[in-house]
Amino acid sequence: MAAGETDARRLADLAQRALRRKRPALEAALSSEWTGHQRFLLTRLLAQVDFLDAEIAVIPGVHRKTAESLVAELGVNMAIFPDAAHLASSAGWG
C-alpha cells in the first residue's frame, strides 16, 4: 500500500497465519481508496517499525520477546534514566 499497490486481492494475498482465514474481510478492508498523504503516513510508520526492530536487535544478552516488552514499556531513549536504579524503578523492578 505504501508503494502504491491498490489491488485488494493482491494485498490480501500477502496475509500470513490467522489473517489468511479472514481473507474476505481483509479484502473488503483493503478495497478503500488511499490518498497520497495516507501513503506518506504509512511509509513513516513502517520506517518507525524498522527502526524499533533494529533497536531491539542490538540489546545484548536479551531475548527478542523480552526486548520487545522492554521497548514497549520503557521506550528506546535510555538517556531519560539517570542510572540503572531509576530504569529498574520505572519498569517496576525495584
Side-chain angles (χ1 to χ4, degrees), residues 25-73:
L26 187 56
E27 276 187 47
L30 294 169
S31 66
S32 64
E33 290 291 321
W34 280 59
T35 66
H37 182 68
Q38 288 169 317
R39 282 194 184 89
F40 168 78
L41 290 175
L42 179 59
T43 301
R44 299 290 297 162
L45 289 170
L46 291 173
Q48 201 170 16
V49 168
D50 290 341
F51 169 77
L52 291 173
D53 275 344
E55 290 294 306
I56 287 169
V58 296
I59 301 175
V62 177
H63 289 247
R64 181 171 182 84
K65 191 69 169 173
T66 303
E68 289 171 352
S69 295
L70 287 170
V71 169
E73 291 295 325

Side-chain angles (χ1 to χ4, degrees), residues 70-93:
L70 287 170
V71 169
E73 291 295 325
L74 303 172
V76 294
N77 181 8
M78 296 297 122
I80 64 171
F81 302 107
D83 54 39
H86 282 85
L87 181 136
S89 176
S90 178
W93 300 330

Side-chain angles (χ1 to χ4, degrees), residues 8-13 22-32:
R9 182 167 289 168
R10 290 173 104 183
L11 291 167
D13 283 341
K22 302 173 183 180
R23 205 159 175 277
L26 187 56
E27 276 187 47
L30 294 169
S31 66
S32 64

